[in-house]
Amino acid sequence: MKKNLVSLFLLGMMVPFGAMAQLQLKTEVPANADNAPLPCHPVPHERQILWNETEFYAFFHYGMNTFTGREWGYGDEAESIYAPLGMPDPEQWVTSVKAAGMKGGIAVVKHHDGFCLWPTATTTHNITDAGSEYGRTANIPLLFAQASKKHNMKYGFYISPWDRNSAHYGKDTYVTEVFLRQCEELAAYGSDQFEMWFDGARGGDGYYGGEGYANGVGENRNIDASIYYDIPNLRWRVHQTAPNCVMWGVGGEARWIGNESGYAGETDWAMTDHDTEDNSIRGQGDINGWIWHPGESDAKATSGGWFWHQGEWIHSAERLFQMYLETVGRNATLILNIPPNQYGVLPEHSVNELAALGRLLHSRLAVPVYGLDETTEATDYAKTAVIDVDKTRAGGKYEKANLTDGDNSTYWGVDDFEHTATITLTWDTPQTIRYLVMQEPIKLGQRIKEFKIEYSEDGSTWTELCPNMQTTTVGYKRIIPLNGSTSSSYGNGYNAKKLRITIEDSRACPLLSNLNVY
Ligand code: FUL
């Protein structure tokens, strides 16, 4: 009897515990009525997704060097040397690059020489004592932010962490009293900034306020860039004001692509382990990387330097188009430098070539370009094709229609544990096609790692396209010139009755948010 009572008591205890455990389970594992796929980590921060969507934007190197002819000012230049010959016109910069299909820009407002293009409270080495009235009046970050907002363009600033003018450089006071405060001043020029740009900046030879300076030779001040700039606090402080501002380079939220010539690896993962010194990792990312660290390619649109120099010329629109294919088309972003001249404007030949680039992007890849309408826009043949997929994820939300609905938040996908899939596009009559564009919904991580493209002219015989290219990663965006060449990419195209994309391997079930064929 006693035994029975004990058993009854234990049973009574177990029931509520059992019920509790079940309740707990229910709250811990949220219902997944939509059968949404799990993210494949690492995944981007929301601000990195917004940044990636900017895709193609300008770099404007302008400042003291524009007037000395140098690329790296020493820091000993008198403020009066900065003497624009006309009123600097950032609105002209912004509208010119908008006509090239760009979605924003970054203005250099302090280069390594330390001269600030705004009336900063942190140093007297700024425009207040510039050598012309235009120079004293034009607050570049203010005008640039205003112009960008007016023309619906994204904007941000380049501020060199290395400062060859500041006597504080190399000491703690530089970081706390100069650099962080300058970044905060700049953040205050617009809470909607999309990127702040910091180069490698390890220090070196410089004027440093005249300490140890004799006969034009200064001191060497080197720092450990990985700890000196107090990046964790810098990031936090800038994000208080500008929450969507990605901190590039030493800021750790986007990585250098490893060259300044305008190309990324054909294989390009948006992940790395950390900021690496290895250029092949910079160019291709790392499939096993555990930090979301997407690539940005900084390239010069002109021959020669980053700053304006007499006689340097912008490359042809075709060459710039190639850079676009090799960066934006390979899961990186492209920040293309066009330097304003001593009048504070982009030279006319640059403006003309940028407009020609805009026309190429619009007519070949349907890039939206201000001022150009659908009459000159490339036709997206994915929209007129009958699309067949061999698999569709259960749940009713991952249908093939999401591939062509123009909405990047919807996607097609396959079931968990499936790593392959085939998408076939068929046209009533053959179409002349040249480019394939694919996008993954990166908020769920970068997944696809191998694919193959084939076409058929008669609908039954298949030929593989661009077998010479690494058809590996997709990521935020992949643009494949179907003839396998980025340099002579337009060509005659392929007369296709069918186009077949076979995803051959993926880190997790493959998903695609967008598909275009031009
Ligand atoms: C580099 C700088 O040293 C160059 O002068 C230029 O500004 C380039 C974009 O970044 O690190």
Side-chain angles (χ1 to χ4, degrees):
M1 181 63 189
K2 203 175 167 192
K3 206 176 160 195
N4 280 352
L5 274 177
V6 170
S7 316
L8 262 175
F9 173 76
L10 283 177
L11 197 71
M13 292 292 286
M14 276 167 69
V15 170
F17 277 130
M20 260 172 67
Q22 267 181 13
L23 270 179
Q24 245 182 346
L25 257 186
K26 272 190 189 145
T27 50
E28 275 172 10
V29 182
N32 185 5
D34 290 341
N35 190 29
L38 284 173
C40 181
H41 289 280
V43 293
H45 187 282
E46 178 62 24
R47 77 168 72 90
Q48 290 172 307
I49 299 179
L50 293 170
W51 168 88
N52 226 148
E53 288 169 355
T54 313
E55 295 186 5
F56 180 32
Y57 38 96
F59 224 168
F60 300 108
H61 274 70
Y62 172 73
M64 186 61 85
N65 295 334
T66 312
F67 300 89
T68 59
R70 291 176 174 165
E71 276 290 297
W72 282 12
Y74 202 63
D76 60 349
E77 299 84 5
E79 289 79 28
S80 58
I81 293 176
Y82 175 76
L85 304 173
M87 189 63 180
D89 187 3
E91 188 167 2
Q92 186 249 13
W93 313 355
V94 167
T95 52
S96 304
V97 301
K98 190 169 181 176
M102 298 193 206
K103 294 190 199 161
I106 304 267
V108 173
V109 293
K110 181 185 106 169
H111 204 252
H112 308 331
D113 55 68
F115 186 72
C116 296
L117 299 183
W118 77 101
T120 173
T122 59
T123 171
T124 53
H125 198 49
N126 72 54
I127 55 165
T128 314
D129 291 322
S132 75
E133 184 60 24
Y134 300 123
R136 289 189 288 278
T137 323
N139 176 334
I140 299 294
L142 178 69
L143 295 176
F144 185 65
Q146 283 174 345
S148 301
K149 286 180 203 202
K150 179 173 168 190
H151 293 281
N152 200 19
M153 296 281 275
K154 296 200 193 181
Y155 66 97
F157 304 110
Y158 170 119
I159 170 168
S160 170
W162 181 26
D163 189 324
R164 297 173 110 183
N165 173 264
S166 177
H168 295 273
Y169 191 78
K171 304 171 188 167
D172 288 351
T173 46
Y174 173 73
V175 177
T176 54
E177 303 307 310
V178 182
F179 183 56
L180 262 68
R181 283 172 58 199
Q182 291 178 343
C183 292
E184 284 181 327
E185 286 181 0
L186 290 175
Y189 281 110
S191 56
D192 54 347
Q193 287 171 53
F194 85 107
E195 177 175 340
M196 206 175 264
W197 215 94
F198 309 110
D199 72 305
R202 290 179 181 77
D205 191 19
Y207 169 70
Y208 302 122
E211 295 180 24
Y213 181 80
N215 305 323
V217 180
E219 285 176 69
N220 234 311
R221 294 191 186 176
N222 292 299
I223 51 87
D224 178 351
S226 66
I227 49 172
Y228 177 62
Y229 298 110
D230 191 13
I231 296 299
N233 283 302
L234 171 71
R235 264 164 70 159
W236 185 82
R237 281 164 68 166
V238 167
H239 289 153
Q240 294 308 297
T241 314
N244 288 330
C245 187
V246 159
M247 312 289 272
W248 189 88
V250 293
E253 292 182 290
R255 73 174 198 271
W256 187 42
I257 211 71
N259 67 76
E260 292 178 336
S261 307
Y263 66 91
E266 284 180 354
T267 297
D268 183 11
W269 296 98
M271 304 89 83
T272 68
D273 274 355
H274 51 82
D275 199 13
T276 166
E277 295 290 311
D278 179 343
N279 270 9
S280 65
I281 302 266
R282 284 169 165 160
Q284 306 203 355
D286 181 355
I287 188 173
N288 291 314
W290 59 278
I291 298 168
W292 189 264
H293 202 202
E296 178 191 84
S297 170
D298 58 322
K300 298 168 203 159
T302 51
S303 59
W306 291 99
F307 285 87
W308 175 85
H309 304 280
Q310 190 73 49
E312 290 181 355
W313 217 251
I314 192 163
H315 297 304
S316 69
E318 283 289 355
R319 170 70 188 112
L320 301 176
F321 180 79
Q322 179 186 4
M323 285 186 189
Y324 182 93
L325 284 182
E326 293 181 355
T327 54
V328 178
R330 294 179 183 170
N331 190 32
T333 62
L334 174 59
I335 175 167
L336 189 64
N337 188 64
I338 311 106
N341 62 18
Q342 293 186 342
Y343 289 86
V345 295
L346 302 187
E348 198 182 339
H349 53 89
S350 295
V351 174
N352 293 340
E353 213 57 38
L354 288 169
L357 172 62
R359 290 193 293 274
L360 290 185
L361 290 170
H362 187 68
S363 62
R364 295 179 180 178
L365 295 170
V367 171
V369 176
Y370 181 71
L372 301 180
D373 61 23
E374 61 278 6
T375 54
T376 50
E377 188 180 270
T379 305
D380 182 1
Y381 295 111
K383 292 210 162 62
T384 57
V386 173
I387 299 185
D388 291 304
V389 289
D390 68 337
K391 297 168 188 144
T392 297
R393 185 178 183 84
K397 288 208 149 184
Y398 314 101
E399 306 302 313
K400 61 187 181 182
N402 294 341
L403 290 167
T404 49
D405 65 356
D407 178 353
N408 266 356
S409 67
T410 66
Y411 52 90
W412 158 85
V414 304
D415 283 327
D416 295 339
F417 310 113
E418 296 279 5
H419 289 225
T420 62
T422 302
I423 306 166
T424 310
L425 296 90
T426 306
W427 293 278
D428 284 347
T429 52
Q431 305 292 336
T432 306
I433 60 172
R434 295 178 174 88
Y435 300 101
L436 169 68
V437 182
M438 291 190 282
Q439 293 186 265
E440 289 183 86
I442 54 168
K443 69 174 182 209
L444 295 168
Q446 190 177 344
R447 310 160 85 98
I448 294 172
K449 57 181 191 180
E450 192 76 56
F451 60 95
K452 182 168 83 176
I453 309 163
E454 297 157 293
Y455 90 109
S456 172
E457 193 161 347
D458 59 10
S460 55
T461 332
W462 293 95
T463 307
E464 186 171 350
L465 290 168
C466 48
N468 59 322
M469 286 192 116
Q470 290 174 35
T471 44
T472 41
T473 49
V474 175
Y476 168 75
K477 186 175 267 188
R478 184 80 194 262
I479 307 172
I480 303 274
L482 295 173
N483 65 359
S485 167
T486 49
S487 56
S488 57
S489 50
Y490 203 58
N492 294 332
Y494 295 91
N495 206 30
K497 171 94 180 133
K498 284 177 185 279
L499 181 72
R500 184 163 70 191
I501 302 142
T502 309
I503 298 169
E504 297 178 309
D505 203 2
S506 187
R507 292 172 64 226
C509 59
L511 313 169
L512 282 177
S513 57
N514 183 44
L515 185 76
N516 311 103
V517 178
Y518 299 109

